Amino acid sequence: MPGEPAPAQGARRHSAVGARRPRVEDGRLLTGRGRFVADVRLPRMVELAFVRSTQAHARLAGIDVGLAERTAGVLTVLTSRDIPAVTLSNARHPALLATPQPVLAVDRVRFVGEPVAAVVAADRYHAEDAAELVDIDYDVRPFVGDVEASDRPAVAPLFDDIVDNVIFRDSATAGDVTGGFAAAAHVTTATLRFHRQVACPLEPRGCLADYDPSSGALRVWSSTQAPHRLQRDLAAAIGLAENHVSVVMHDIGGAFGQKIPTHVEEIVTTLAAIRLARPVRWIEDRQENLLAAPHSRDQLITVRLALDGELRFTAMHTTVAGDAGAYSFNSGSALTEGYRAARSMPGPYRVANFGYEVSIGVTNKSPVAPYRGVGLVAAQAARELVIDEAARQIGVDRFELRRRNLVAREELPYTTAMGMVFADTSFVESLDRAERMLRAVPALAGEDSVRVGIGVSPYVEPSGIGTEGGFQLHGHHSPSHDSARVSLDTSGNAVVSVGTPSLGTGLETTLAQIVADVIGIRADDVTVAWTDTANAPLSLTGTRGSRAAVVAGGAVAAAAGEVRDQLRRLAAEMLSTDPTAITIDLGVARAPGGRALTVRELAKAGFGGRPGASRAGMPTLSATHAYDPAATYSNACVVAVVGVHTDTGKVDVRRIIGVEDCGTMINPMIVEGQFAGAVAQAIGAATLERMVYDADGQPMTSTLMDYLLPTATDTVPVESAHIETPSSSTWGGVKGVGESGMIGTVAAITAAVADALGGLGDVAQVPLQPETVWRLLRDVTG
């Protein structure tokens, strides 16, 4: 039944789950046979380019499109006057103020890169050339760019009805926070400024829309993490019935959360296709992605920590100021960073008395959206820094201080101050193992101009988030479930259909292993077929938040279990035995006494009929199942060793140790790949990546020469180890792992730099770019 592993089938000798199976999709992707949205070409297709605001904050005094319209190859130039009054907005929390974003600016622009007009031409070259001829008259307004100042009434309001630019305020208290601080023997405070960053997927955003006016059917190809959500949003925005909108699933070149929301560009592209009655495609370039795609992080966090004489945490309080950018984006994603950071601050520690205050403001920057480890990355870094600072002030070993305060296995199930329930975690065990791995290698010695530091970062990750997990994390109803279909063809091979797209994470491989394991066939005999929202079962929220293997995988397992049971009944009928006596392994169904039939033979008999078989009992050898797991949590511990060059401020990452517990590993090779990939991304987040704006709101990091991504020379091999504590609330005991390496590694590197600096600098911001570290050193040493 849902949420439980498939029943045992006798003495099975083979298990696909747990095998280090190479990714089946890699052959296609590595040889250029992947199919991304930019690879899709339709007859009569034309291209769209956006005219984007060059000002951070301004009234639109006028738009002249005359020259652009008369340019060769141009079909149309669209402004807000030419399309329906469509906005994107979603207040998922009752206290979140709505700030609707028009899909093309109407009378005001609020960030550099906001779409003002769209040019449709025969090809991209003509569209871009014509876009440069659109003349926009701006009445420039003051730039609001400081999250700390966004709550002052004197700052120019971005919205007339929100005079202080604050769109969300919330606070909560659990236990006796005041008493916990009053009785403390030690109180430590730390403040962290986590700067703005960009997900930078390998494939930027893109969309192709094809509308058939004769049937009213709209077909859309988009680089999206949530096809069914995009279908719903497009239908609602344009006024079509959902069954007239179909979103096609195909390869996606990375996303990391940036492609969860529905984007205004997708709406405009669709409206253009409807207006012209021909296919219209928009493909984002890298500069557009840096300027106008959703950003992330951008928080100011202060954490106060109280400890008693036995060094137990007696209270914790955090204040979080979040920068939402210009709009509370349509998924309510203004909350995903600051609000999640506040609620998740206690992490894996035993903190009974906890409180937070969070405020989120709008500024003249690109709106924020989820990014790998959303909310948790900044909270983890701030919390681990304050714990390290307490250890330094008191003079206690940092591992030991954490060990005293981590929730121990014997305390499980443990309910946190914010209502998260930890049932199957290994916080202390992962910390202990990481420390042993650290000590097993001789300590790296510093050099004359290099200081060596060590950072430790144990953490917990809400993973495989279903409806219950969403409620525990967010404190309000957040439905999140998936459906899947598993069918056998006439040859006995299995075809899997899900609405949860693959982002390059090996989902085709892991889902095939699940089906093979549950039914009892070979993984090579399972195909994951990507279709569209008209044919794929519903995925309510898509691929996000380390949920695909848990939620989609659980749905696939349940559907495969029903198919397996049909095969066992069919085999029992043909072999004259009870279904419970049938075992299926490696594609062969066996009955007591050695009698056997292959799954291929069973499928042929099931579809082709058997002499004397009842027509009413004909098997479909197909099943569709929905799955919504209970809350589950992964955990891990990352230890980082860094070298800080005191003459330049450059940070070299020298060792990364990761001990993770994602429950039952479907494919350890994919688990390790996910963790290592996230570590590489985290090295960039901790030491390189920062989106910078000048005093007028102009982006200063609009190319990859300025916005620095990690390269192979910045990374190190990850020293990884696994602890498998199966979840008691998911199919097969599986937990998520996709965000794990990002959450823990940024904090570990940041803490390691602080350790290397010792008393020479107050590490109070991320990323720790060379200039930042160099100034920290010079501010103290002169």
Side-chain angles (χ1 to χ4, degrees):
M1 59 185 295
E4 296 180 2
Q9 300 179 42
R12 285 272 297 276
R13 296 185 298 276
H14 173 267
S15 177
V17 167
R20 288 181 170 270
R21 185 169 187 252
R23 298 184 358 158
V24 297
E25 51 268 71
D26 284 355
R28 180 183 80 251
L29 297 174
L30 294 175
T31 57
R33 291 179 171 83
R35 185 170 172 82
F36 301 89
V37 65
D39 297 317
V40 181
R41 296 183 178 275
L42 300 179
R44 301 177 63 246
M45 185 183 78
V46 291
E47 303 277 355
L48 182 148
F50 283 98
V51 181
R52 298 184 180 275
S53 173
T54 60
Q55 299 298 318
H57 194 191
R59 298 279 184 185
L60 293 177
I63 305 175
D64 184 354
V65 301
L67 281 176
E69 287 180 323
R70 293 191 294 272
T71 300
V74 171
L75 281 74
T76 189
V77 180
L78 302 176
T79 69
S80 61
R81 297 187 300 269
D82 305 307
I83 60 175
V86 177
T87 59
L88 289 178
S89 180
N90 187 328
R92 294 181 63 189
H93 191 289
L96 177 62
L97 300 182
T99 55
Q101 180 179 7
V103 295
L104 289 176
V106 176
D107 57 2
R108 192 170 182 173
V109 290
R110 295 179 172 88
F111 67 97
V112 172
E114 181 166 8
V116 178
V119 178
V120 183
D123 55 48
R124 176 80 180 192
Y125 303 101
H126 285 90
E128 288 191 353
D129 286 347
E132 293 181 358
L133 300 177
V134 174
D135 186 23
I136 304 173
D137 185 10
Y138 296 100
D139 177 11
V140 178
R141 307 276 293 170
F143 169 60
V144 178
D146 189 351
V147 66
E148 299 169 76
S150 63
D151 60 349
R152 298 175 186 170
V155 175
L158 271 66
F159 298 88
D160 294 339
D161 57 342
I162 307 175
V163 296
D164 59 2
N165 286 330
V166 177
I167 59 171
F168 182 77
R169 288 186 177 90
D170 188 44
S171 62
T173 300
D176 183 6
V177 178
T178 302
F181 278 102
H186 310 278
V187 175
T188 302
T189 302
T191 296
L192 177 68
R193 179 72 166 89
F194 205 116
H195 290 289
R196 181 166 284 245
Q197 298 184 333
V198 188
C200 281
L202 184 63
E203 177 201 26
R205 300 174 299 162
C207 176
L208 166 60
D210 184 19
Y211 179 71
D212 181 357
S214 64
S215 64
L218 173 67
R219 194 161 174 81
V220 174
W221 291 256
S222 178
S223 187
T224 177
Q225 294 177 242
H228 283 99
R229 173 183 174 160
L230 178 59
Q231 176 198 32
R232 295 193 301 272
D233 288 348
L234 286 173
I238 296 167
L240 295 176
E242 281 189 28
N243 66 329
H244 283 193
V245 180
S246 175
V247 177
V248 181
M249 287 183 284
H250 44 75
D251 290 315
I252 297 174
F256 310 116
Q258 188 184 83
K259 300 175 183 178
I260 292 173
T262 296
H263 303 281
V264 294
E265 291 90 347
E266 292 164 324
I267 304 290
V268 174
T269 303
T270 301
L271 290 171
I274 293 173
R275 183 183 180 93
L276 296 172
R278 62 191 298 179
V280 177
R281 185 175 69 173
W282 163 69
I283 301 297
E284 183 178 60
D285 63 30
R286 180 58 61 190
Q287 186 174 60
E288 280 185 294
N289 185 261
L290 287 166
L291 293 180
H295 294 170
S296 66
R297 313 295 190 237
D298 213 344
Q299 300 176 56
L300 180 67
I301 302 175
T302 298
V303 186
R304 296 176 64 226
L305 177 65
L307 303 88
D308 64 17
E310 297 182 352
L311 305 184
R312 308 287 183 183
F313 298 166
T314 60
M316 181 184 290
H317 185 274
T318 186
T319 302
V320 179
D323 185 340
Y327 298 92
S328 172
F329 208 45
N330 62 85
S331 64
S333 56
L335 300 181
T336 56
E337 283 291 350
Y339 183 62
R340 271 193 174 198
R343 291 185 57 82
S344 64
M345 189 60 71
Y349 298 99
R350 192 186 308 103
V351 180
N353 305 311
F354 172 69
Y356 69 78
E357 296 176 12
V358 58
S359 65
I360 298 172
V362 286
T363 62
N364 293 124
K365 305 171 189 173
S366 181
V368 300
Y371 177 30
R372 197 173 197 169
V374 58
L376 306 176
V377 172
Q380 177 76 20
R383 183 186 63 245
E384 296 308 312
L385 283 174
V386 80
I387 292 173
D388 273 5
E389 184 59 28
R392 275 190 284 271
Q393 290 177 5
I394 299 168
V396 64
D397 178 77
R398 290 177 293 158
F399 283 92
E400 179 56 29
L401 181 58
R402 288 171 168 83
R403 190 173 289 111
R404 292 190 189 191
N405 290 282
L406 287 168
V407 175
R409 191 180 290 271
E410 55 268 22
E411 298 176 83
L412 303 177
Y414 179 87
T415 302
T416 72
M418 290 290 100
M420 301 175 196
V421 181
F422 303 153
D424 308 292
T425 51
S426 56
F427 302 133
V428 176
E429 293 83 354
S430 61
L431 175 76
D432 289 346
R433 189 160 180 183
E435 184 178 15
R436 289 197 300 271
M437 292 171 68
L438 173 69
R439 309 299 184 201
V441 176
L444 297 174
E447 303 162 16
D448 289 343
S449 61
V450 178
R451 292 175 171 269
V452 174
I454 298 171
V456 56
S457 174
Y459 58 97
V460 63
E461 175 195 2
S463 71
I465 296 176
T467 302
E468 182 182 88
F471 182 83
Q472 289 187 12
L473 179 59
H474 304 127
H476 58 87
H477 183 55
S478 303
S480 178
H481 54 77
D482 275 16
S483 297
R485 181 171 59 250
V486 176
S487 304
L488 296 190
D489 61 22
T490 55
S491 66
N493 293 332
V495 178
V496 181
S497 180
V498 294
T500 313
S502 177
L503 312 179
T505 56
L507 192 59
E508 291 179 39
T509 304
T510 54
L511 294 183
Q513 288 180 258
I514 290 172
V515 171
D517 201 69
V518 173
I519 295 179
I521 58 180
R522 300 176 189 274
D524 289 339
D525 295 332
V526 183
T527 299
V528 178
W530 304 111
T531 57
D532 55 38
T533 54
N535 294 286
L538 174 68
S539 173
L540 198 62
T541 56
T543 303
R544 60 193 299 178
S546 302
R547 72 184 296 277
V550 178
V551 185
V556 164
E562 293 185 21
V563 172
R564 175 204 60 220
D565 291 343
Q566 291 182 42
L567 287 171
R568 294 172 77 185
R569 289 193 295 269
L570 181 59
E573 177 187 329
M574 296 177 69
L575 296 174
S576 301
T577 189
D578 190 270
T580 59
I582 298 293
T583 63
I584 306 176
D585 189 28
L586 293 176
V588 179
R590 291 183 172 83
R595 295 169 298 157
L597 291 167
T598 66
V599 169
R600 182 186 182 91
E601 291 171 326
L602 290 172
K604 182 178 180 180
F607 289 121
R610 289 97 57 214
S614 168
R615 292 185 178 181
M618 290 182 65
T620 63
L621 299 184
S622 179
T624 301
H625 209 290
Y627 188 69
D628 188 356
T632 189
Y633 295 85
S634 302
N635 70 272
C637 182
V638 174
V639 173
V641 181
V642 305
V644 176
H645 295 258
T646 56
D647 52 350
T648 65
K650 186 178 185 298
V651 176
D652 290 331
V653 177
R654 299 189 170 186
R655 291 182 70 188
I656 294 290
I657 298 165
V659 179
E660 59 75 34
D661 186 344
C662 63
T664 302
M665 290 187 288
I666 300 169
N667 186 323
M669 184 186 300
I670 289 179
V671 168
E672 291 163 4
Q674 281 288 290
F675 198 90
V679 166
Q681 207 166 20
I683 290 172
T687 64
L688 296 171
E689 299 180 43
R690 180 181 174 185
M691 192 69 194
V692 178
Y693 289 81
D694 70 9
D696 296 320
Q698 294 296 321
M700 304 297 289
T701 46
S702 58
T703 74
L704 294 183
M705 293 181 66
D706 309 303
Y707 188 89
L708 301 179
L709 297 177
T711 67
T713 60
D714 297 306
T715 62
V716 294
V718 178
E719 303 168 44
S720 61
H722 307 288
I723 296 174
E724 289 191 71
T725 307
S727 170
S728 57
S729 58
T730 66
W731 176 86
V734 174
K735 308 174 192 173
V737 74
E739 299 177 294
S740 185
M742 174 68 106
I743 296 168
T745 305
V746 173
I749 293 172
T750 306
V753 173
D755 181 51
L757 297 182
L760 295 182
D762 179 19
V763 173
Q765 59 180 304
V766 173
L768 291 164
Q769 297 173 316
E771 181 182 357
T772 300
V773 177
W774 185 86
R775 290 186 181 279
L776 285 173
L777 291 164
R778 295 304 175 272
D779 286 346
V780 176
T781 62

